[in-house]
Every structure is written in structure tokens, then in C-alpha cells.
Amino acid sequence: MALVTGANRGIGLEIARQLVRRGYRVVVGSRDSQSGEKAATALAGVGEVVAQALDVTEPASVERAVSATLERFGRVDALVNNAGMLIDEGMRASTIALDNVQRTLDANLLGAWRMSQAVLPAMRKQRYGRIVNVSSGMGMLSALAESSGSWPAYRLSKTALNALTILLASELSGENILVNATSPGWVRTRMGGAGAARSVEEGADTPVWLAMLPDDGPRGGSFEDRKPIDW
Ligand code: NDP
């Protein structure tokens, strides 16, 4: 079974849909219960899907969501850390209010970290786990150098998420728990905008692939279109 954060809309909803189509039972994590229920209902014809209230910035919410998932399914095979926000449009590193940076890191970095810590005991016990961190090309180190300081909080949160991916993968190197990051490309969602190059189906493909990796699959990597990319 798979737990997807921020699955009520956008890329997360499509990741949930593709995982259900591949036979996974899926928990649709959503900080807004109503829109989570709506998403789960829309996917219910495809397979077993349940909505779960989940705000990744709230430790108690993370704990409740993972406990409820384990109570219902007894395991968590895949965690897709998809939830993310971008609230620094038009800002620059030299002037951005640091509470914006703090809020962004809390959702995009610490959210994925909280979720990973919450599911790892179960993954260790069952000796199987896949953690997928949905990052961004905007967080690549080479992209930072060309950024003119734009989207500083968002970029930094994704660079840090990449680093967290490497740290966790290194710690789990002897276990059957594969942790990887992925950049979905520029995708038509509320965040990406209507002019983006890719559909949600294209954006969800690599995260879904990483969530279903075989035991000898890659670990501690970053992938776009199922191919390794630079950090
Ligand atoms: P959307 O803005 O469409 O969706 C973001 C999702 O994250 C929503 O479900 C939102 O919930 C949820 N979310 C935000 N904050 C929290 C929180 N604190 N707790 C739980 N859920 C939360 O974005 P996308 O679908 O485009 O983005 C999905 C992921 O892909 C993000 O991590 C993003 O950074 C990444 N990405 C997207 C790109 C693109 O071009 N679209 C490019 C590169 C990366 P709610 O509905 O309640 O707001």
C-alpha cells in the first residue's frame, strides 16, 4: 500500500491514481479533508482508496495519519512525499522575509522528514520500503548558480530535500528501504500554471516508478523521466 501526501490535487492526485491502477491500496493525504474525500471518491472506482486528513507541517497530524494507515493496512510499502508549496514568487534571496523561508522549509523539507521518520519504524519491521521525495529542478545546485537569487525559499527547500534524500539513503544502505528524489519537470498544476510543458500524467510517471522499484533498484539518487540527473 502507498501513502501519498498532498494527493487531493495536482501531481499528487495523479500519483495516487497511477498507483491505484497498478494495484496499490492508496491513502490520499490531504490537509483539507473535504477535498481529500472528493479525490478519494473520484478514484474509488479504480481500486481501494481512502482519504486521510494530513498536514505535513503538524507533527500531531503526521502521527495520526501514519497510525491510522497502519491500523487499517498493517503496513506502509511506499511513501510519496509530494506535498509542497511555493510562496516566494518574485522574491530574491537578498531581501526575502525569513519567515517565508521558515514556512517553506517547514512544509517542503521538514514535512517530508517528519513523514519519513513516522513511517520508517514500520518499513524497518516489514523489511521493505520505498520513499520518494518529489523535488524540483529548481533546487539543483547548478540551477542555483544561474538563479539570480530567484524563488530563494522554494529552491533551498528542494536542495535541502535532495540532501535529506542522500542522508536517509546512506543511513538505510543495508536495508531494503530505497529512498530517492525526483524532479517531475514543469507540470500543468496550480503551482506549475496552465502554460507548463507537461501533463500531470507525465509528471507522475517517475515518482510512481520510484515508489514501485524492485529490491535491486537504485537508492539515494535523483531522477527525471526515469533517468538519473545531477544534484
Ligand atoms: P499543487 O500546488 O497543485 O499541489 C500541491 C499539493 O501539496 C496540494 O495538494 C496541497 O494541498 C499540498 N500541500 C501543500 N502544503 C501542504 C501541507 N502543509 N500539508 C499537506 N499538504 C500540503 O502543486 P503540484 O501538484 O504542482 O506539486 C506537487 C509537488 O511537485 C510539489 O512538491 C512541487 O514542489 C513539485 N513540483 C512541481 C512542479 C510543477 O511544475 N508543477 C515542478 C517541480 C516540482 P492544498 O490543496 O490543501 O493546498
Side-chain angles (χ1 to χ4, degrees), residues 10-140:
I11 299 170
L13 174 58
E14 181 58 25
I15 291 170
R17 178 178 291 118
Q18 292 188 18
L19 284 169
V20 178
R21 281 205 187 118
R22 285 164 172 80
Y24 277 68
R25 297 173 296 169
V26 172
V27 171
V28 167
S30 171
R31 61 179 166 176
D32 174 56
S33 296
Q34 235 180 323
S35 100
E37 290 292 348
K38 207 172 139 198
T41 305
L43 299 182
V46 192
E48 189 175 345
V49 186
V50 289
Q52 173 63 51
L54 171 59
D55 184 334
V56 299
T57 64
E58 293 291 337
S61 173
V62 167
E63 210 174 293
R64 269 197 305 274
V66 173
S67 298
T69 300
L70 289 172
E71 246 165 63
R72 184 175 177 122
F73 297 101
R75 55 190 294 121
V76 184
D77 296 300
L79 165 67
V80 183
N81 285 314
N82 164 80
M85 65 181 197
L86 187 160
I87 52 170
D88 57 350
E89 176 83 44
M91 299 179 191
R92 288 292 182 273
S94 60
T95 49
I96 187 171
L98 295 185
D99 71 310
N100 181 312
V101 180
Q102 232 159 11
R103 283 171 55 207
T104 304
L105 288 174
D106 197 19
N108 297 5
L109 169 66
L110 299 182
W113 205 332
R114 278 182 198 104
M115 289 300 303
S116 301
Q117 289 189 342
V119 301
L120 273 169
M123 286 183 170
R124 282 186 145 139
K125 210 160 134 199
Q126 73 203 20
R127 295 173 193 276
Y128 180 96
R130 304 290 180 258
I131 297 179
V132 183
N133 292 327
V134 180
S135 187
S136 166
M138 286 171 70
M140 278 169 63

Side-chain angles (χ1 to χ4, degrees), residues 181-205:
T182 174
S183 161
W186 187 26
V187 178
R188 290 186 292 280
T189 60
R190 205 175 296 170
M191 185 186 290
R198 295 182 157 208
S199 64
V200 285
E201 288 81 0
E202 291 168 303
D205 177 73

